[in-house]
Amino acid sequence: MELARIGEIPGDGVNRPCLSPGDRTARRMLIAWANEIGAEISIDVAANLFVRRAGTDPDAAPVLTGSHMDSQPEGGRFDGIYGVIAGLEALAALHDAGIVTRRAIEVVAWTNEEGGRYAPGCMGSMSWSGYAPPTTWDDVRDADGIRYADALAEHLRLEADLPRRPLGGVPHAYLEAHIEQGPLLEAAGLDIGVVTGIQGSRWFSVTLSGASAHAGTAPVGMRRDAVQDMLRAVSALNELMHDPADILRFTVARIDVTPNTSNSVAGRVRFTIDCRHPDGAVLRAKGDAIRATVEAAVKTCDVLVEEHFDAAPVAFHPLVVETVAAAALADGASAMGLPSGAFHDAQFVVPLAPTGMVFVPSRDGISHNPAEYSSPEQLAAGTRVLVRSLVALAG
Amino acid sequence: MELARIGEIPGDGVNRPCLSPGDRTARRMLIAWANEIGAEISIDVAANLFVRRAGTDPDAAPVLTGSHMDSQPEGGRFDGIYGVIAGLEALAALHDAGIVTRRAIEVVAWTNEEGGRYAPGCMGSMSWSGYAPPTTWDDVRDADGIRYADALAEHLRLEADLPRRPLGGVPHAYLEAHIEQGPLLEAAGLDIGVVTGIQGSRWFSVTLSGASAHAGTAPVGMRRDAVQDMLRAVSALNELMHDPADILRFTVARIDVTPNTSNSVAGRVRFTIDCRHPDGAVLRAKGDAIRATVEAAVKTCDVLVEEHFDAAPVAFHPLVVETVAAAALADGASAMGLPSGAFHDAQFVVPLAPTGMVFVPSRDGISHNPAEYSSPEQLAAGTRVLVRSLVALAG
């Protein structure tokens, strides 16, 4: 709740963009709490922030946990930050109980998971895992025109007092706690989700270039109106993406019109496509059909389709999945296995180390919205399962 | 061409928002040129700027000419500014020729004709004419959140050295020179458009309020997606506004999505409607049907339809129309009568004084676009007709 005051917006929401002053304030609060239990702080060139509690065996690979601290522009108080705070709480509980594990336990706050200020999301975990070089997104700009590389350099300059660590490393295991962001646990009346994997995501942008013209004089039949072609394109994509089973997630959620003034016909429209499915083959087929679908639908504009993000569905590792299930059982929590509808930084750790996640219920399944809510009891139950799992994994 | 460098954008375009530093720079250049011929400067509370050349009869109502100096965000070099410069050139030509008219001639630069930074357009001429109080739009905000009242107060503070004049007054006549912004004169191969009137315009905004949600977890069938409802609304409006004769001008050109991030379902969309027709009855019927059409089309969102601008079609006064036609004939220019597809400040002078306009051709009919072009010869021909007309009207 203290962290939720940093970037608070009406309706109990949070707007804390990555690499913003609010992001730094939240990180400094985390560091202050970590210092109280003598944990070590470090940061890498992607601005991923690590809090380490040493184990008895300095040669053993650490167990990694954590999530992210940035939010959506109209986000809630729990998405991401819960997993970081739960990880820190785990370290504090071990500290208070005088328990020292064999392996070190590290809590990470990944940079820019949301992709709200800079798309795509998960830049920090993608950089750390070697999925893409950290310079990949240098020229991505936020709504104010600030380049990602410049925002990152500014952040690292302001955090220059923190010890640096290299990107990567191979942890013994990675376990991320998170709110479900969906309705399944609440509907089932259960405490804990033992996450079995993450559906795949593909992100695209479509740019339609027509010609701006005077809204009063240009005959409608002679226009190259990018708004009207967007209508045609999205209508055709709705057909392509229609799924009677309602498993496929197709979203057009960002639209940028140029010049975006009421009495000049739109000369250019750029819109985004977010497409997700747990079946990699379906996701491949639907995503690959986007370009031809848009090109067939538009009437007057030039079309540019770009893909910005392509994450295949992943299955989590039995070591972690079974550890979480056993921890829930031992703690007396009710639990079920389920896949994640949202993508998470965990997705990018999968190729490097045994990975898993633990979910707690989201009220009404609402997330990316100020109304996002999980009760203190639900959050505490998830944290207890996290601590038990970390201790089991860290020995 | 000197003024076109203030706010120049690629492709020979201009972006000079009303009440911006560029607008002030352009006005100061105009004032400097006016000072060279000893004209008097004044400004009113709506920031309309006047350049007056006295006549021999101080009691006779002046003849008013002019247009506006602000541009569309991706506008051209001639829209508006031509009418101001042509008016100043008229004064300069009379000065150089030693001709003194009976009535004073005043050149006006109206504030915010375009409505690009602050909607609707014509705030300056509407305030001057008493069509609406100048405080009507105080709380309208630009894209940076700056209130109109604050931008206006800042402008008047920076121009505090200019003598103030009251709003309004009844000129003997008003004549505005402008580029056609349409294809008719070029298609007919003529020099001059003797403008007979202006089609009517109605501006609306539609706000659709749904619920933001996570693009990965929220099932498509359970969403209240404002982008999808916008698609339904605009498709239905396209049906309503379909005109086989292509006389009705229906434009959706501004779309603002909230939160406008690719992986959060759009919780709110606001879009604009610009609707124009020369027949007042048609315009009334189509505009009045917008609310019911949108409400019937949307599936999940709450609907708010607001009307921001309602200008009935106007016919210009025979005194001015016939004066312009006679001036074209006397100057050896080829001319035709035609209505204006765009609205202009002249629309709001009609109730106060005999009003008219003179058009020059626009290449390919293009306007509100950097490619907007009229040749020096065409602009000079229009200015000669303007001078002859002003002299005739001012005696």
Side-chain angles (χ1 to χ4, degrees), chain A residues 227-259:
Chain A
V227 162
Q228 291 293 336
D229 261 351
M230 174 190 67
L231 231 67
R232 297 180 186 108
V234 179
S235 295
L237 289 169
N238 280 339
E239 290 293 314
L240 171 69
M241 301 293 183
H242 180 63
D243 176 8
D246 210 357
I247 291 171
L248 190 145
R249 305 274 184 265
F250 166 64
T251 310
V252 173
R254 178 172 181 168
I255 302 174
D256 295 298
V257 182
T258 306

Short mmCIF file of all heavy atoms in Angstrom, two decimals, chain A residues 227-259:
data_model
loop_
_atom_site.label_atom_id
_atom_site.label_comp_id
_atom_site.label_asym_id
_atom_site.label_seq_id
_atom_site.Cartn_x
_atom_site.Cartn_y
_atom_site.Cartn_z
N VAL A 227 -8.54 6.66 -41.40
CA VAL A 227 -9.49 6.17 -40.39
C VAL A 227 -10.46 5.17 -41.02
O VAL A 227 -10.75 4.12 -40.45
CB VAL A 227 -10.25 7.35 -39.72
CG1 VAL A 227 -11.51 6.84 -39.02
CG2 VAL A 227 -9.35 8.06 -38.72
N GLN A 228 -10.95 5.50 -42.20
CA GLN A 228 -11.90 4.59 -42.85
C GLN A 228 -11.21 3.27 -43.22
O GLN A 228 -11.81 2.20 -43.12
CB GLN A 228 -12.52 5.26 -44.08
CG GLN A 228 -13.47 6.42 -43.74
CD GLN A 228 -14.75 5.95 -43.03
OE1 GLN A 228 -15.16 4.80 -43.14
NE2 GLN A 228 -15.36 6.85 -42.27
N ASP A 229 -9.96 3.33 -43.65
CA ASP A 229 -9.26 2.08 -43.97
C ASP A 229 -8.94 1.29 -42.70
O ASP A 229 -8.91 0.06 -42.73
CB ASP A 229 -7.98 2.37 -44.77
CG ASP A 229 -8.19 2.14 -46.27
OD1 ASP A 229 -9.27 1.59 -46.64
OD2 ASP A 229 -7.32 2.50 -47.06
N MET A 230 -8.70 1.99 -41.59
CA MET A 230 -8.53 1.27 -40.32
C MET A 230 -9.79 0.49 -39.99
O MET A 230 -9.73 -0.67 -39.55
CB MET A 230 -8.21 2.24 -39.19
CG MET A 230 -8.16 1.56 -37.83
SD MET A 230 -8.06 2.72 -36.45
CE MET A 230 -9.67 3.49 -36.55
N LEU A 231 -10.95 1.11 -40.19
CA LEU A 231 -12.23 0.44 -39.94
C LEU A 231 -12.31 -0.85 -40.75
O LEU A 231 -12.69 -1.91 -40.22
CB LEU A 231 -13.36 1.37 -40.38
CG LEU A 231 -14.48 1.63 -39.40
CD1 LEU A 231 -13.93 2.41 -38.23
CD2 LEU A 231 -15.61 2.40 -40.06
N ARG A 232 -11.95 -0.75 -42.02
CA ARG A 232 -12.00 -1.94 -42.88
C ARG A 232 -11.01 -3.00 -42.40
O ARG A 232 -11.32 -4.19 -42.37
CB ARG A 232 -11.68 -1.54 -44.33
CG ARG A 232 -12.69 -0.58 -44.93
CD ARG A 232 -12.35 -0.18 -46.37
NE ARG A 232 -13.28 0.84 -46.82
CZ ARG A 232 -12.99 2.13 -47.00
NH1 ARG A 232 -11.73 2.55 -46.82
NH2 ARG A 232 -13.90 2.99 -47.37
N ALA A 233 -9.82 -2.58 -42.04
CA ALA A 233 -8.78 -3.53 -41.62
C ALA A 233 -9.17 -4.24 -40.33
O ALA A 233 -9.07 -5.48 -40.24
CB ALA A 233 -7.44 -2.79 -41.44
N VAL A 234 -9.63 -3.49 -39.34
CA VAL A 234 -9.95 -4.12 -38.05
C VAL A 234 -11.19 -5.00 -38.19
O VAL A 234 -11.28 -6.07 -37.57
CB VAL A 234 -10.11 -3.06 -36.93
CG1 VAL A 234 -10.47 -3.72 -35.61
CG2 VAL A 234 -8.83 -2.25 -36.78
N SER A 235 -12.15 -4.59 -39.01
CA SER A 235 -13.32 -5.45 -39.24
C SER A 235 -12.88 -6.79 -39.85
O SER A 235 -13.36 -7.85 -39.44
CB SER A 235 -14.32 -4.76 -40.17
OG SER A 235 -14.85 -3.61 -39.55
N ALA A 236 -11.98 -6.74 -40.81
CA ALA A 236 -11.49 -7.99 -41.43
C ALA A 236 -10.70 -8.82 -40.42
O ALA A 236 -10.80 -10.05 -40.40
CB ALA A 236 -10.63 -7.65 -42.65
N LEU A 237 -9.91 -8.15 -39.57
CA LEU A 237 -9.15 -8.89 -38.55
C LEU A 237 -10.09 -9.52 -37.53
O LEU A 237 -9.82 -10.62 -37.03
CB LEU A 237 -8.15 -7.94 -37.86
CG LEU A 237 -6.98 -7.50 -38.74
CD1 LEU A 237 -6.21 -6.36 -38.07
CD2 LEU A 237 -6.04 -8.67 -39.03
N ASN A 238 -11.19 -8.84 -37.20
CA ASN A 238 -12.18 -9.44 -36.30
C ASN A 238 -12.68 -10.78 -36.86
O ASN A 238 -12.86 -11.74 -36.11
CB ASN A 238 -13.36 -8.49 -36.08
CG ASN A 238 -13.07 -7.39 -35.07
OD1 ASN A 238 -12.16 -7.53 -34.24
ND2 ASN A 238 -13.82 -6.31 -35.13
N GLU A 239 -12.91 -10.80 -38.17
CA GLU A 239 -13.34 -12.05 -38.82
C GLU A 239 -12.25 -13.11 -38.69
O GLU A 239 -12.50 -14.25 -38.30
CB GLU A 239 -13.63 -11.81 -40.31
CG GLU A 239 -14.85 -10.98 -40.59
CD GLU A 239 -16.13 -11.70 -40.18
OE1 GLU A 239 -16.26 -12.89 -40.50
OE2 GLU A 239 -16.97 -11.06 -39.51
N LEU A 240 -11.02 -12.71 -39.05
CA LEU A 240 -9.89 -13.65 -38.99
C LEU A 240 -9.72 -14.24 -37.60
O LEU A 240 -9.45 -15.44 -37.44
CB LEU A 240 -8.60 -12.93 -39.41
CG LEU A 240 -7.29 -13.70 -39.21
CD1 LEU A 240 -7.20 -14.87 -40.18
CD2 LEU A 240 -6.07 -12.78 -39.37
N MET A 241 -9.86 -13.39 -36.59
CA MET A 241 -9.53 -13.79 -35.22
C MET A 241 -10.73 -14.34 -34.45
O MET A 241 -10.61 -14.68 -33.28
CB MET A 241 -8.96 -12.58 -34.46
CG MET A 241 -7.71 -11.99 -35.08
SD MET A 241 -6.29 -13.13 -34.99
CE MET A 241 -5.00 -12.10 -35.71
N HIS A 242 -11.88 -14.39 -35.09
CA HIS A 242 -13.08 -14.86 -34.39
C HIS A 242 -12.88 -16.30 -33.91
O HIS A 242 -12.49 -17.17 -34.66
CB HIS A 242 -14.30 -14.79 -35.32
CG HIS A 242 -15.55 -15.25 -34.65
ND1 HIS A 242 -16.10 -14.61 -33.56
CD2 HIS A 242 -16.37 -16.31 -34.89
CE1 HIS A 242 -17.18 -15.24 -33.17
NE2 HIS A 242 -17.38 -16.28 -33.96
N ASP A 243 -13.15 -16.52 -32.63
CA ASP A 243 -12.95 -17.84 -32.03
C ASP A 243 -14.19 -18.17 -31.19
O ASP A 243 -14.38 -17.63 -30.10
CB ASP A 243 -11.70 -17.80 -31.14
CG ASP A 243 -11.48 -19.11 -30.40
OD1 ASP A 243 -12.22 -20.10 -30.69
OD2 ASP A 243 -10.59 -19.15 -29.53
N PRO A 244 -15.04 -19.05 -31.69
CA PRO A 244 -16.27 -19.38 -30.96
C PRO A 244 -15.99 -19.88 -29.55
O PRO A 244 -16.80 -19.68 -28.63
CB PRO A 244 -16.91 -20.48 -31.81
CG PRO A 244 -16.31 -20.33 -33.17
CD PRO A 244 -14.92 -19.81 -32.95
N ALA A 245 -14.83 -20.52 -29.34
CA ALA A 245 -14.48 -21.01 -28.00
C ALA A 245 -13.97 -19.90 -27.09
O ALA A 245 -13.78 -20.10 -25.90
CB ALA A 245 -13.44 -22.11 -28.11
N ASP A 246 -13.71 -18.73 -27.65
CA ASP A 246 -13.23 -17.55 -26.91
C ASP A 246 -11.94 -17.84 -26.14
O ASP A 246 -11.78 -17.39 -25.00
CB ASP A 246 -14.32 -17.04 -25.96
CG ASP A 246 -14.21 -15.51 -25.74
OD1 ASP A 246 -13.26 -14.92 -26.29
OD2 ASP A 246 -15.05 -14.94 -25.03
N ILE A 247 -11.04 -18.58 -26.78
CA ILE A 247 -9.72 -18.82 -26.18
C ILE A 247 -8.70 -17.84 -26.77
O ILE A 247 -7.86 -17.30 -26.07
CB ILE A 247 -9.28 -20.28 -26.42
CG1 ILE A 247 -10.18 -21.21 -25.60
CG2 ILE A 247 -7.80 -20.46 -26.06
CD1 ILE A 247 -9.99 -22.67 -25.90
N LEU A 248 -8.78 -17.61 -28.07
CA LEU A 248 -7.89 -16.65 -28.70
C LEU A 248 -8.18 -15.25 -28.17
O LEU A 248 -9.34 -14.86 -28.01
CB LEU A 248 -8.08 -16.70 -30.22
CG LEU A 248 -7.05 -15.92 -31.04
CD1 LEU A 248 -6.76 -16.67 -32.35
CD2 LEU A 248 -7.51 -14.52 -31.36
N ARG A 249 -7.10 -14.51 -27.85
CA ARG A 249 -7.24 -13.14 -27.37
C ARG A 249 -6.73 -12.20 -28.46
O ARG A 249 -5.53 -12.16 -28.72
CB ARG A 249 -6.42 -12.91 -26.10
CG ARG A 249 -6.71 -13.88 -24.97
CD ARG A 249 -7.87 -13.45 -24.12
NE ARG A 249 -8.05 -14.35 -22.99
CZ ARG A 249 -8.90 -15.39 -23.00
NH1 ARG A 249 -9.63 -15.64 -24.07
NH2 ARG A 249 -9.00 -16.16 -21.93
N PHE A 250 -7.65 -11.47 -29.09
CA PHE A 250 -7.29 -10.51 -30.14
C PHE A 250 -7.69 -9.12 -29.68
O PHE A 250 -8.84 -8.87 -29.34
CB PHE A 250 -8.02 -10.85 -31.44
CG PHE A 250 -7.98 -9.75 -32.46
CD1 PHE A 250 -6.77 -9.36 -33.02
CD2 PHE A 250 -9.14 -9.09 -32.86
CE1 PHE A 250 -6.73 -8.33 -33.97
CE2 PHE A 250 -9.11 -8.06 -33.79
CZ PHE A 250 -7.90 -7.69 -34.35
N THR A 251 -6.71 -8.20 -29.65
CA THR A 251 -6.94 -6.87 -29.08
C THR A 251 -6.32 -5.79 -29.95
O THR A 251 -5.13 -5.85 -30.26
CB THR A 251 -6.34 -6.77 -27.66
OG1 THR A 251 -6.77 -7.89 -26.89
CG2 THR A 251 -6.75 -5.47 -26.98
N VAL A 252 -7.13 -4.80 -30.31
CA VAL A 252 -6.62 -3.55 -30.89
C VAL A 252 -6.87 -2.49 -29.83
O VAL A 252 -8.02 -2.17 -29.53
CB VAL A 252 -7.35 -3.19 -32.20
CG1 VAL A 252 -6.94 -1.80 -32.68
CG2 VAL A 252 -7.07 -4.24 -33.27
N ALA A 253 -5.80 -2.00 -29.22
CA ALA A 253 -5.98 -1.16 -28.02
C ALA A 253 -5.25 0.17 -28.11
O ALA A 253 -5.44 1.03 -27.27
CB ALA A 253 -5.50 -1.90 -26.78
N ARG A 254 -4.40 0.32 -29.12
CA ARG A 254 -3.72 1.61 -29.27
C ARG A 254 -3.92 2.11 -30.71
O ARG A 254 -3.65 1.37 -31.66
CB ARG A 254 -2.23 1.46 -28.97
CG ARG A 254 -1.48 2.77 -29.17
CD ARG A 254 -0.06 2.72 -28.70
NE ARG A 254 0.53 4.04 -28.93
CZ ARG A 254 1.68 4.46 -28.45
NH1 ARG A 254 2.39 3.67 -27.70
NH2 ARG A 254 2.14 5.66 -28.72
N ILE A 255 -4.38 3.34 -30.84
CA ILE A 255 -4.61 3.94 -32.15
C ILE A 255 -4.00 5.34 -32.13
O ILE A 255 -4.34 6.14 -31.26
CB ILE A 255 -6.12 4.03 -32.47
CG1 ILE A 255 -6.77 2.64 -32.43
CG2 ILE A 255 -6.35 4.70 -33.81
CD1 ILE A 255 -8.28 2.68 -32.58
N ASP A 256 -3.11 5.59 -33.07
CA ASP A 256 -2.52 6.93 -33.19
C ASP A 256 -2.83 7.48 -34.58
O ASP A 256 -2.40 6.91 -35.58
CB ASP A 256 -1.00 6.86 -32.96
CG ASP A 256 -0.66 6.43 -31.54
OD1 ASP A 256 -1.03 7.15 -30.61
OD2 ASP A 256 -0.06 5.34 -31.38
N VAL A 257 -3.59 8.57 -34.58
CA VAL A 257 -4.05 9.18 -35.83
C VAL A 257 -3.23 10.44 -36.10
O VAL A 257 -2.92 11.19 -35.17
CB VAL A 257 -5.54 9.54 -35.74
CG1 VAL A 257 -6.04 10.15 -37.05
CG2 VAL A 257 -6.38 8.33 -35.35
N THR A 258 -2.88 10.66 -37.36
CA THR A 258 -2.17 11.88 -37.76
C THR A 258 -2.98 12.56 -38.87
O THR A 258 -3.38 11.88 -39.80
CB THR A 258 -0.76 11.54 -38.30
OG1 THR A 258 -0.07 10.77 -37.32
CG2 THR A 258 0.02 12.79 -38.62
N PRO A 259 -3.24 13.87 -38.81
CA PRO A 259 -2.85 14.80 -37.75
C PRO A 259 -3.76 14.77 -36.52
O PRO A 259 -3.48 15.48 -35.58
CB PRO A 259 -2.93 16.16 -38.45
CG PRO A 259 -3.96 15.99 -39.50
CD PRO A 259 -3.87 14.56 -39.96
#
